[in-house]
Amino acid sequence: MMYRILIVDDEPMIRKGLEKLVEQSELPIAQIRVAENGVDALEQIRNDRPDFLFTDIRMPKMDGLELCSKLTELEFTANMQIVVISGYSDFEYAQKCLSYGVKEYLLKPINKKVIHDVLRKLIANTSKQTKTSVSVFKLDGWAEQTEDAIWTLQLGKINELLHTFRQQCSAHQLTISQLCDLLDECYALLIKKLNTRDVFAFISGLRFHGVETEEEAWHTFEAAIMDIFNELKQKRKGKAKDPVEEAKLYIEEHLAREVSLEEVADYIGLNASYFSQLFKQTTQETFVQYRIRRRMEKAKKLLEIPHYRITDISNEVGYADHPHFTKTFKKYTGCLPSEFRHKLGIE
């Protein structure tokens, strides 16, 4: 197999020197291209992906670290091996490089032996690794979108994401074993994201025993995801709305009676403790504070209608005890219901 190399450095002499050292390696190199900064390199990589990338750290327009960061987001660069060449023996640089999947971190100046040794390592790595891996970044992005679609019960979106994921995996020409491993990893990631919400417990682990074809593997994977969807739908009692918005609507429809947090949580299919936390986090109010505010806002609107008696309004917003309503209204608005009406010119 012949390999393609891209060398990125803003100094022409260094680019030339590296190019010469690579040429002298007498290894199976089919092509050596150069770029003077990260922007130029990224454009070249998009047009013609190299097998190996040698890049400097400090460069104008886009430096080596930013280039490496952007490459982690591109599906087609998953198998490209990166070598960083720097004049700085900075541990922080090296750490960041490792987080971006950089294979080697070399310090300037470098010589023929160093370049040749690194090239041999890269070629050895290439022969070991499969050319069919899907980037971790892509997997995580897909799992995140799918988790959100499952949680909000968007069946159409789930099917769309499954179709896209299947197309992406097909482009990698995975063996059955590789496909099963990949789908198992992706399913585990999806379950982990769902369980992070700490509402319902979903069990990880797919069974691919006896799977012999790609179609069977996908059927197992897709069926497992639909099982999660149906399980969640059942737990939510078939409700596909946002849980907090649904809770607000339920409260609004039942302002005339004492609706408890537990009742609303049960209605939307959530654990009461979790619902309480979720509601406060989303609305910046406790369940009780929100319910009182909505009752008082409704009371104010009803007080603007002259023919409504204040005692009737009290019952309409869930206060059978009229003095309690009067006290709560004054605490909320700063005046009694009768005073509120007086300010509006209603006697």
Side-chain angles (χ1 to χ4, degrees):
M1 179 177 175
M2 302 293 282
Y3 300 94
R4 294 173 297 173
I5 295 174
L6 176 62
I7 296 168
V8 192
D9 200 298
D10 61 319
E11 296 183 41
M13 291 296 291
I14 292 180
R15 289 200 303 270
K16 197 88 174 165
L18 282 171
E19 193 175 358
K20 195 163 187 66
L21 289 175
V22 171
E23 286 173 349
Q24 292 172 351
S25 69
E26 296 182 358
L27 292 168
I29 307 300
Q31 181 189 70
I32 305 172
R33 290 184 291 121
V34 295
E36 60 183 27
N37 57 59
V39 174
D40 182 18
L42 195 58
E43 187 178 349
Q44 290 198 47
I45 290 166
R46 287 182 189 279
N47 294 330
D48 185 18
R49 177 171 59 86
D51 297 293
F52 310 140
L53 170 69
F54 287 78
T55 181
D56 189 19
I57 286 277
R58 297 284 180 92
M59 295 181 293
K61 294 187 179 180
M62 183 193 292
D63 64 23
L65 285 178
E66 190 180 352
L67 173 62
C68 292
S69 172
K70 288 188 178 296
L71 290 175
T72 63
E73 301 173 18
L74 300 176
E75 169 79 18
F76 57 84
T77 62
N79 298 302
M80 188 173 69
Q81 297 189 70
I82 304 171
V83 177
V84 166
I85 301 173
S86 173
Y88 307 90
S89 57
D90 191 316
F91 178 68
E92 189 178 342
Y93 277 134
Q95 262 193 323
K96 284 184 179 177
C97 287
L98 286 172
S99 71
Y100 296 140
V102 171
K103 295 297 181 185
E104 298 285 338
Y105 185 88
L106 306 179
L107 290 176
K108 295 177 182 178
I110 53 175
N111 56 39
K112 182 178 177 180
K113 183 179 185 308
V114 170
I115 286 293
H116 292 190
D117 286 347
V118 166
L119 281 170
R120 287 191 183 93
K121 273 189 193 178
L122 298 180
I123 290 171
N125 288 341
T126 303
S127 63
K128 288 177 187 175
Q129 73 180 20
T130 174
K131 288 277 184 183
T132 57
S133 62
V134 178
S135 74
V136 173
F137 182 87
K138 274 288 182 186
L139 280 183
D140 189 72
W142 182 87
E144 191 168 320
Q145 289 183 70
T146 305
E147 188 272 342
D148 182 68
I150 289 173
W151 187 252
T152 51
L153 300 179
Q154 298 180 63
L155 183 57
K157 182 67 174 175
I158 295 167
N159 287 329
E160 181 186 319
L161 287 163
L162 281 168
H163 178 70
T164 302
F165 186 47
R166 187 166 183 169
Q167 283 187 319
Q168 290 173 346
C169 291
S170 295
H172 288 277
Q173 298 180 329
L174 300 164
T175 65
I176 293 301
S177 175
Q178 289 168 342
L179 178 61
C180 290
D181 287 345
L182 178 67
L183 296 181
D184 189 52
E185 181 184 348
C186 202
Y187 183 78
L189 188 58
L190 179 62
I191 293 293
K192 185 179 178 181
K193 287 182 183 294
L194 280 165
N195 286 339
T196 300
R197 293 182 182 268
D198 196 26
V199 182
F200 305 117
F202 295 94
I203 301 169
S204 182
L206 281 179
R207 294 189 177 276
F208 287 104
H209 302 306
V211 169
E212 295 181 357
T213 67
E214 184 179 326
E215 193 58 41
E216 287 176 353
W218 278 108
H219 177 75
T220 301
F221 179 67
E222 290 168 359
I225 287 178
M226 292 315 301
D227 284 346
I228 297 172
F229 173 83
N230 291 324
E231 182 183 348
L232 181 60
K233 190 174 181 181
Q234 181 61 35
K235 286 176 176 176
R236 291 262 190 84
K237 301 179 182 178
K239 299 174 181 65
K241 297 177 184 176
D242 175 83
V244 172
E245 291 305 312
E246 194 173 359
K248 286 181 181 180
L249 185 62
Y250 189 84
I251 293 167
E252 205 69 29
E253 290 172 349
H254 298 85
L255 286 177
R257 67 178 182 83
E258 197 68 20
V259 174
S260 68
L261 181 144
E262 288 74 17
E263 178 185 337
V264 178
D266 182 63
Y267 173 75
I268 60 178
L270 291 180
N271 170 276
S273 175
Y274 172 76
F275 169 65
S276 176
Q277 295 172 22
L278 179 66
F279 192 89
K280 186 171 183 181
Q281 183 182 5
T282 306
T283 65
Q284 308 305 311
E285 294 176 293
T286 65
F287 175 85
V288 172
Q289 287 170 338
Y290 179 84
R291 189 184 62 193
I292 290 173
R293 180 169 66 81
R294 293 308 303 150
R295 282 175 164 177
M296 294 304 102
E297 290 300 318
K298 185 175 181 180
K300 283 164 66 177
K301 288 182 179 179
L302 294 175
L303 285 165
E304 292 171 3
I305 304 171
H307 68 269
Y308 265 87
R309 294 190 309 166
I310 293 177
T311 50
D312 292 335
I313 293 171
S314 174
N315 287 318
E316 190 74 19
V317 294
Y319 290 88
D321 183 352
H322 180 64
H324 184 204
F325 165 68
T326 302
K327 183 180 177 182
T328 305
F329 189 86
K330 184 173 184 180
K331 186 178 179 182
Y332 182 78
T333 65
C335 61
L336 295 170
S338 56
E339 292 171 338
F340 181 82
R341 272 194 161 167
H342 182 71
K343 288 178 182 178
L344 296 173
I346 301 172
E347 298 300 332

